[in-house]
Amino acid sequence: MWLSYLQPWWYAPDKQAPGSDSQPWCVSEKWAPFVQVNLLMYTKLFVGFLNRVLRTDLVSPKHALMVFRVAKVFAQPILAEMIQKGEQLFLEPEMVIPHRHFLSPWPSAVTDASFKVKSHVYSLEGQDCKYTPMFGPEVHTLVLRLAQLITQAKHTAKSISDQCVESPAGHSFLSWLGFSSMDTSGSYTANDLDEMGQDSVRKTDEYLEKALEYLCQIFRLSKAQLRQFTLALGTTQDENGKKQLPDCIVGEDGLILTPLGRYQIISGLRRFEIGYEIASLVRTLFRLSSAINHRFAGQMAALCSQDDFLGRFCRYHLTEPGLASRHLLSPVGRRQVAGHTLGPRLSLCFLGSYRTLVSLLLAFFVASLFCVGPLPCTLLLTLGYVLYASAMTLLTERGKLHQP
């Protein structure tokens, strides 16, 4: 209904027929007064729609179609210019008109149009209203965010399409029985893929592609900006061919998701590598590690700064965030880490994984077969690890020396 109200020229008795390819159809300038006196219907409702759609899952075909239809309406030739002209009339300063002589002319048509636009806005919003220009910097930032989300959604739709193609033949049968594959990362499940289908994914991609094209026409976005979005979103893969982590920054207590990272997890664009571990034990070990790091931060930094074997041994074991930031695949995370080094830190969280615990239990079980008690077994494991770590320290240091 809103979109129909914005286009009265399609329902007028003297409606123009669509133009040919050589002369494309455009909105007649005679509708400029209508656009001006209905300025809020075009601008304020569009800004409200923009804020709403930024919190919408654009991978859904219905939502993608909604964005496409709105962008198509506002992208009609010269309509954006009419809206911008109406905003200029509203935002121009008040003119004090002197007392008119009997033979003096009436105020200009521009002043009269400005009065009509302001009367319309003030009658609906009041004299103290705060107007947000549709073509101002604030809305332009929102449009850039929408273009970024559209780029993300297109990449997600392509990932869903690829997953549908690569899924095994027996997947549909298992889904029919109710054994759908679960994805703890928050991405789309197997049932979602079956319901969407290849045709829906294709339509979503087409809707988003055209919507992005229309937004570029309305707000004059350049191809360079869109290319920058694609690079910033990390749609490419890293050198190992693995998908990137969700967008995050590094804080005192570890990785912190940004709003963009949360969206990437919800949409299934990126995810963290899921490890099997005991959550309560990991939290306890993390608090213990944080307490040790806070208490002995100076001593650990002093040990790691030494050039002897002890210093190299400590550098091998203590996690160095400045060095570990190489493994952060988030582009924003890399920028946040640059110049923000927390120093050497100890991490005991690996002791909370099922793999580590099962390995230790297996080692104790094998030792018990040879009549070796828990305490001697622990000493042997510690001695074996010290020898292994010493060898790795020497090999790592030798490798650094041979690097060009």
Side-chain angles (χ1 to χ4, degrees):
M1 190 173 184
W2 171 50
L3 297 181
S4 299
Y5 184 85
L6 299 183
Q7 308 172 87
W9 42 86
W10 290 115
Y11 311 99
D14 56 344
K15 180 180 66 173
Q16 296 179 356
S20 59
D21 294 337
S22 59
Q23 294 181 346
W25 181 90
C26 63
V27 181
S28 175
E29 293 186 0
K30 72 177 184 179
W31 292 102
F34 176 86
V35 175
Q36 293 168 6
V37 298
N38 290 276
L39 184 64
L40 292 180
M41 296 294 295
Y42 289 90
T43 59
K44 186 170 183 178
L45 293 185
F46 179 82
V47 174
F49 169 80
L50 201 58
N51 282 291
R52 181 66 179 269
V53 81
L54 287 174
R55 301 189 295 269
T56 304
D57 180 14
L58 298 182
V59 181
S60 169
K62 294 180 180 180
H63 297 161
L65 175 61
M66 176 180 61
V67 176
F68 161 74
R69 292 185 61 191
V70 173
K72 183 179 180 181
V73 169
F74 281 87
Q76 294 178 82
I78 81 170
L79 177 58
E81 287 78 3
M82 289 182 180
I83 298 174
Q84 197 166 10
K85 178 61 177 178
E87 288 190 326
Q88 292 173 356
L89 292 173
F90 173 73
L91 296 174
E92 72 177 14
E94 298 285 350
M95 297 179 63
V96 179
I97 303 175
H99 180 71
R100 201 170 35 85
H101 189 267
F102 180 76
L103 297 178
S104 63
W106 287 95
S108 64
V110 174
T111 305
D112 185 50
S114 175
F115 175 77
K116 290 181 179 179
V117 174
K118 291 179 180 180
S119 299
H120 159 70
V121 174
Y122 292 148
S123 64
L124 295 176
E125 298 293 312
Q127 292 285 340
D128 299 329
C129 69
K130 181 182 178 183
Y131 180 77
T132 303
M134 177 176 167
F135 292 92
E138 184 178 345
V139 177
H140 188 75
T141 302
L142 296 179
V143 172
L144 290 178
R145 286 180 55 193
L146 177 57
Q148 188 178 25
L149 293 182
I150 289 176
T151 306
Q152 281 184 318
K154 281 171 55 63
H155 182 73
T156 303
K158 184 179 183 303
S159 300
I160 294 174
S161 178
D162 295 342
Q163 187 173 347
C164 288
V165 173
E166 296 174 0
S167 60
H171 168 72
S172 299
F173 177 72
L174 292 176
S175 300
W176 179 73
L177 292 176
F179 297 100
S180 58
S181 59
M182 298 299 295
D183 189 355
T184 55
S185 65
S187 60
Y188 291 91
T189 61
N191 286 336
D192 294 326
L193 300 178
D194 292 338
E195 291 175 3
M196 292 184 67
Q198 286 282 2
D199 187 56
S200 296
V201 173
R202 180 183 57 81
K203 288 182 179 180
T204 298
D205 186 72
E206 293 177 358
Y207 291 148
L208 295 177
E209 182 69 29
K210 294 299 294 185
L212 191 59
E213 179 182 335
Y214 290 142
L215 288 175
C216 292
Q217 295 177 13
I218 300 168
F219 295 95
R220 299 180 178 89
L221 302 181
S222 63
K223 293 183 178 180
Q225 289 175 306
L226 300 181
R227 193 179 306 112
Q228 183 180 3
F229 290 151
T230 303
L231 295 176
L233 290 173
T235 54
T236 57
Q237 296 180 337
D238 64 351
E239 61 273 13
N240 295 325
K242 296 180 180 178
K243 292 185 178 180
Q244 297 184 341
L245 296 177
D247 201 80
C248 51
I249 59 177
V250 178
E252 291 288 341
D253 297 329
L255 296 179
I256 302 174
L257 278 174
T258 64
L260 176 58
R262 287 192 289 270
Y263 175 85
Q264 290 168 341
I265 291 179
I266 294 173
S267 64
L269 184 60
R270 298 184 188 176
R271 56 184 171 182
F272 288 105
E273 294 295 332
I274 304 299
Y276 297 97
E277 53 193 19
I278 303 176
S280 58
L281 180 58
V282 170
R283 285 192 290 267
T284 302
L285 292 171
F286 177 77
R287 287 193 291 267
L288 177 61
S289 302
S290 300
I292 295 175
N293 293 328
H294 181 73
R295 175 67 178 82
F296 300 101
Q299 291 87 333
M300 289 190 295
L303 288 173
C304 291
S305 63
Q306 297 180 11
D307 294 331
D308 53 6
F309 177 79
L310 181 60
R312 294 194 297 268
F313 188 85
C314 293
R315 286 194 295 270
Y316 178 79
H317 287 84
L318 299 179
T319 303
E320 173 68 57
L323 299 176
S325 63
R326 294 176 303 176
H327 303 290
L328 288 177
L329 304 180
S330 164
V332 174
R334 287 170 177 168
R335 291 195 297 267
Q336 295 287 342
V337 172
H340 182 67
T341 303
L342 300 178
R345 300 174 72 82
L346 177 68
S347 177
L348 301 175
C349 295
F350 71 96
L351 295 175
S353 68
Y354 286 110
R355 180 178 179 179
T356 302
L357 295 176
V358 170
S359 299
L360 290 176
L361 290 176
L362 184 61
F364 286 128
F365 174 74
V366 173
S368 65
L369 297 179
F370 295 93
C371 300
V372 178
L375 183 58
C377 181
T378 303
L379 294 177
L380 290 175
L381 290 175
T382 304
L383 179 60
Y385 178 77
V386 169
L387 295 176
Y388 167 78
S390 301
M392 291 301 299
T393 301
L394 294 175
L395 293 176
T396 302
E397 192 69 22
R398 182 175 299 179
K400 291 181 180 179
L401 294 176
H402 290 284
Q403 288 181 352

